[in-house]
Amino acid sequence: MEVADVHKRFGPQPVLRGTSFLIQAGEAVVIIGRSGGGKSILLKHLVGLLLPDSGQVRVFEQDLATMGERELLKVRRRFGMLFQMAALFDSLTVYENVGFVLRRERKHTEGEIRRLVAEALEMVDLPGIEHKMPSELSGGMRKRVGLARAIVYRPEIILYDEPTTGLDPIAASVIDALIRRVWRHLHVTSIAVTHDMKSARAISDRVLMLHEGCIYAQGSTAELLESTDPIISDFVNGVDNELAPDKTP
Ligand SMILES: Nc1ncnc2c1ncn2[C@@H]1O[C@H](COP(=O)(O)OP(=O)(O)O)[C@@H](O)[C@H]1O
Ligand SMILES: [Mg+2]
């Protein structure tokens, strides 16, 4: 995947101002940056849900902006997505939620769907909960069912938007561990955005820092934590992290 000099503005407000980076197949990457900094907007560009004002997004060596809707759908089929607001359907069982995309595609028998759903639920350590309703699950379990739904059709790239936001620390570390497991066992490319450095360290090998619409820095979490650049250091040490307790005066 290659993002090359992408600019995007909403009215007068520039959000992406020349964002560029490369991600190789099989990498586990986290994009960090402050809230409102354009991380979700950037993720939407990676699957063609938004198109850049200028610059290019190439995925599987194709420029998304040149594709028709049918081609875009084919590309999106190769992605799994766990988006912040992607809630489960409350009126459907876990089985129906996780198997939803497979059933819509009409390419699998019901028996195959059963097996694939069971495997996906096992991958997130929730075997045998097919019959449960979302209302019976905790927030962390719902996220894990969301993850099962994202992996059930064997995507090549998985996008995570703030996968641990809103979870307590224990549920969050469970999700981090599952993201790592999915990356290792399913050999996917893993791309997550978060403002949580702890999560970034747990799930990625490489961190890209989005700052003022550009990739300001990149490296391992250790490298970023050791940086003497005040912008990097303030962010990774939590000064600029709205959820960090040490921001309270
Ligand atoms: N559809 C939209 N129309 C106008 N402005 C938007 C839209 N979506 C996001 N924005 C603005 O773009 C900025 C970046 O948003 P977002 O990518 O959601 O930030 P992040 O995910 O890093 O918290 C925010 O200031 C937000 O208000
Ligand atoms: Mg966001």
Side-chain angles (χ1 to χ4, degrees):
M1 163 178 300
E2 181 178 11
V3 171
D5 200 23
V6 165
H7 288 74
K8 184 71 176 182
R9 59 166 61 235
F10 292 100
Q13 186 200 2
V15 177
L16 302 177
R17 303 194 228 170
T19 308
S20 300
F21 57 85
L22 271 172
I23 295 176
Q24 307 291 342
E27 275 198 283
V29 173
V30 162
I31 300 166
I32 58 169
R34 65 205 298 177
S35 285
K39 300 183 299 298
S40 297
I41 294 297
L42 178 57
L43 277 191
K44 286 181 183 157
H45 280 79
L46 303 185
V47 283
L49 289 170
L50 285 172
L51 293 176
D53 298 333
S54 66
Q56 287 184 336
V57 178
R58 276 189 286 277
V59 178
F60 306 120
E61 292 170 1
Q62 292 168 283
D63 181 350
L64 296 184
T66 64
M67 292 184 185
E69 198 56 33
R70 184 185 292 254
E71 281 177 295
L72 266 180
L73 285 175
K74 260 194 205 150
V75 168
R76 274 185 211 135
R77 174 64 176 73
R78 299 169 74 179
F79 280 85
M81 300 176 220
L82 189 59
F83 278 4
Q84 215 167 347
M85 298 303 165
L88 302 174
F89 298 112
D90 281 329
S91 59
L92 301 183
T93 63
V94 167
Y95 175 69
E96 289 164 333
N97 267 287
V98 175
F100 189 80
V101 171
L102 295 175
R103 185 160 303 105
R104 197 181 53 193
E105 288 187 337
R106 297 163 191 268
K107 283 197 301 203
H108 297 85
T109 65
E110 200 62 33
E112 284 167 346
I113 295 176
R114 278 204 179 279
R115 183 176 56 79
L116 290 167
V117 169
E119 281 175 14
L121 288 173
E122 253 165 55
M123 181 66 71
V124 300
D125 281 339
L126 292 174
I129 66 154
E130 280 91 337
H131 60 283
K132 289 210 186 284
M133 299 305 288
S135 59
E136 299 176 71
L137 308 176
S138 69
M141 287 167 83
R142 283 164 165 257
K143 274 273 188 233
R144 284 151 69 186
V145 171
L147 179 55
R149 182 174 60 180
I151 62 174
V152 74
Y153 53 92
R154 305 287 161 85
E156 293 159 65
I157 303 177
I158 307 190
L159 305 181
Y160 300 96
D161 193 350
E162 308 271 5
T164 59
T165 297
L167 299 179
D168 66 71
I170 292 171
S173 62
V174 168
I175 293 292
D176 288 339
L178 290 175
I179 290 173
R180 196 71 181 167
R181 177 195 286 179
V182 162
W183 171 75
R184 195 178 307 117
H185 287 254
L186 302 183
H187 308 289
V188 293
T189 306
S190 187
I191 306 173
V193 306
T194 183
H195 57 251
D196 178 352
M197 274 306 282
K198 188 166 163 288
S199 180
R201 189 198 329 237
I203 64 187
S204 73
D205 298 321
R206 187 158 69 99
V207 177
L208 307 174
M209 179 174 167
L210 183 67
H211 177 69
E212 295 187 343
C214 297
I215 299 301
Y216 183 80
Q218 53 179 305
S220 66
T221 44
E223 283 165 350
L224 294 190
L225 284 165
E226 282 162 16
S227 172
T228 53
D229 180 312
I231 291 173
I232 302 172
S233 158
D234 282 0
F235 184 84
V236 299
N237 293 307
V239 178
D240 198 27
N241 182 335
E242 66 180 83
L243 296 183
D246 58 355
K247 193 180 178 194
T248 320

